[in-house]
Amino acid sequence: MEEFQGPEPRSENRSLEFNQRKWWISVFVCGFLIFSGDSLVMLLLNFFYVQDNRSESNQDRQYKGTWTQALIQNVAFPILIPLFFMFPSPKPNQEPVSDQTNNKRPPFLRVVLLYVSLGVLVSVYSKLYALAKLYVGWGILVSAQLILTSLFSAFINRVKFNRWIILSIIFTLAADFFGGPEFAGTPDEDETDPYDFKAWLILIFPTLAFSLSLSLMQLGFEKVLVKTKRYGNKKVFRMVLEMQICVSFIATFICLVGLLASGEFKELKGDSERFKKGKTYYVLSLLGLALSWQVWAVGLSGLVFLVSGVFADVVHMCASPVVALFVVLAFDFMDDDFGWQRRGALLGSVLALASYFYHLHKTKKKESAELNKRENNNGEV
Ligand SMILES: Nc1nc2[nH]cnc2c(=O)[nH]1
């Protein structure tokens, strides 16, 4: 799972210890990025929708502006380019490409195919997430996302589920269901018909695309990117930034085409003029949103790379009660408080994370014990 393999048998133990420490730090940093990204995005989204006066608009207009939001979710990827060059890259593997893989398709084509598929999935979930959030049913359905991620991970990534992971998933589902933050974009009067097939598709497709993208990302790191010559058959963090930049580039392109083709770009001027705090704040809030989405996305792909898609989704969903707390503190929404239900959800998040971390701790300990055993056996020979 990690990027570094100590070559000398004698120093293998110390190298493993060092790598594990580095790995734990990376996991905590990525987790922090997800929590920060989730919180900043929700605070800024609420600010945006409050300033945009949605509740006073007609129902039809309340569901607009979703291509813009989808574009904002992906467009700030260029800020990652300098970071990409700062991260070290291993020496490229000099072996001929055909020796590295039995697959007939050359690695370069597989990488392009991976990024294009992920770019399409990300654009689909960005657009539909922006739209689905405006439906009341979203709060109920978003929990299903983790179940889908688990199913995809079991079938596509062959992830094995033990009792600690299952316990973590159950606590996460409860935390997300009861601890979700208030969202100012939801129309006051929901007119969606429970039998409206289109509304169900709008709610189901972003969860499907999001869950599938996590599994595909994990598959990409483990089976495609490690096989490219550039990374010399190693897993390095640079891959996370490369994937994020390339996938966001494709998703940005698709969202831009959507924005132009739908004619939504014509509404931007009116939107900025209607913004209660004025045009400058309109631009600043979109800029802040775009940067926060990148913070979130790097944390998310980082955890997929370091652990798995399921773990990344668990951490993302466990952030809900914390985000709800920040929203309660920052806004004065009617009937929005941090009551016993949300406190319980926060406890659920803590237990979910504790359970998954305990599983990871046990896995790492087992790795060290196995190495010790191997070294002892070698010493005896
Ligand atoms: N579908 C989906 N899209 C997202 N975009 C950001 N967060 C989410 C999420 O939880 N689900």
Side-chain angles (χ1 to χ4, degrees):
M1 185 140 290
E2 290 86 273
E3 61 225 64
F4 337 87
Q5 258 100 48
E8 305 222 349
R10 282 181 139 228
S11 62
E12 242 182 305
N13 210 332
R14 270 174 50 202
S15 149
L16 182 75
E17 214 174 274
F18 174 72
N19 289 335
Q20 285 196 354
R21 204 168 299 150
K22 224 169 157 181
W23 181 86
W24 277 115
I25 293 172
S26 310
V27 168
F28 277 103
V29 170
C30 288
F32 176 74
L33 291 182
I34 294 188
F35 267 67
S36 317
D38 268 325
S39 309
L40 287 170
V41 163
M42 190 45 86
L43 289 172
L44 286 167
L45 266 183
N46 271 325
F47 175 75
F48 183 86
Y49 282 113
V50 167
Q51 296 297 320
D52 195 36
N53 251 338
R54 292 253 148 167
S55 53
E56 285 159 31
S57 317
N58 62 40
Q59 282 295 97
D60 195 35
R61 210 183 69 71
Q62 292 198 24
Y63 293 105
K64 290 199 167 153
T66 49
W67 276 117
T68 314
Q69 290 298 331
L71 181 67
I72 291 296
Q73 184 164 341
N74 297 290
V75 76
F77 68 90
I79 57 154
L80 301 176
I81 295 172
L83 258 183
F84 171 78
F85 288 107
M86 274 157 62
F87 269 84
S89 177
K91 282 208 181 87
N93 199 338
Q94 296 306 321
E95 287 172 45
V97 171
S98 54
D99 291 352
Q100 295 174 37
T101 172
N102 297 330
N103 273 297
K104 281 184 219 113
R105 211 175 281 143
F108 177 72
L109 255 183
R110 281 156 49 100
V111 173
V112 171
L113 205 63
L114 171 75
Y115 288 158
V116 171
S117 334
L118 275 171
V120 171
L121 281 176
V122 170
S123 61
V124 168
Y125 83 62
S126 305
K127 158 71 184 164
L128 290 181
Y129 175 72
L131 188 58
K133 276 186 81 59
L134 305 176
Y135 285 76
V136 171
W138 175 251
I140 301 163
L141 210 89
V142 74
S143 308
Q145 184 169 288
L146 187 54
I147 299 173
L148 281 174
T149 308
S150 308
L151 286 176
F152 283 133
S153 297
F155 288 109
I156 299 177
N157 311 106
R158 307 257 166 232
V159 168
K160 301 236 169 1
F161 290 85
N162 61 22
R163 70 189 130 148
W164 297 109
I165 299 184
I166 294 172
L167 204 62
S168 175
I169 290 174
I170 294 170
F171 278 128
T172 307
L173 290 176
D176 198 72
F177 190 78
F178 292 109
E182 186 74 10
F183 177 56
T186 315
D188 291 338
E189 290 168 42
D190 183 44
E191 287 177 358
T192 40
D193 172 2
Y195 301 106
D196 182 356
F197 186 61
K198 192 177 140 228
W200 276 104
L201 289 185
I202 288 171
L203 291 173
I204 290 166
F205 266 97
T207 43
L208 258 177
F210 183 80
S211 307
L212 189 58
S213 73
L214 291 182
S215 286
L216 193 60
M217 213 183 266
Q218 187 178 340
L219 194 74
F221 285 131
E222 289 169 358
K223 304 271 191 254
V224 181
L225 288 188
V226 272
K227 293 195 173 140
T228 60
K229 241 178 164 184
R230 279 171 302 136
Y231 291 119
N233 290 26
K234 283 187 185 137
K235 276 183 85 178
V236 286
F237 202 80
R238 215 176 195 225
M239 290 173 179
V240 173
L241 295 169
E242 179 189 301
M243 188 181 276
Q244 181 55 27
I245 292 167
C246 297
V247 169
S248 294
F249 172 73
I250 294 164
T252 299
F253 178 73
I254 296 173
C255 293
L256 202 57
V257 171
L259 185 75
L260 297 175
S262 65
E264 196 182 295
F265 70 96
K266 292 183 206 140
E267 291 161 24
L268 293 179
K269 194 164 176 285
D271 283 350
S272 67
E273 281 162 0
R274 212 177 26 251
F275 211 67
K276 279 193 254 175
K277 271 198 182 292
K279 278 186 193 166
T280 314
Y281 276 91
Y282 175 81
V283 174
L284 283 179
S285 61
L286 288 184
L287 194 69
L289 262 174
L291 297 176
S292 310
W293 274 123
Q294 289 305 315
V295 170
W296 171 80
V298 170
L300 193 80
S301 348
L303 284 192
V304 174
F305 169 82
L306 293 161
V307 186
S308 66
V310 176
F311 182 63
D313 206 4
V314 162
V315 175
H316 167 49
M317 288 173 71
C318 278
S320 272
V322 179
V323 177
L325 176 62
F326 285 137
V327 171
V328 168
L329 294 175
F331 295 89
D332 205 11
F333 293 137
M334 221 171 32
D335 299 330
D336 189 30
D337 62 358
F338 204 72
W340 62 268
Q341 215 174 348
R342 282 191 173 139
R343 285 179 214 173
L346 187 61
L347 180 67
S349 285
V350 172
L351 292 175
L353 291 175
S355 181
Y356 216 121
F357 273 103
Y358 180 65
H359 157 70
L360 293 176
H361 167 72
K362 277 197 358 176
T363 314
K364 293 289 142 189
K365 255 182 96 172
K366 201 166 144 205
E367 246 174 46
S368 306
E370 274 166 11
L371 183 71
N372 272 337
K373 207 165 131 196
R374 254 200 335 265
E375 283 196 343
N376 288 344
N377 286 348
N378 286 346
E380 280 166 20
V381 173

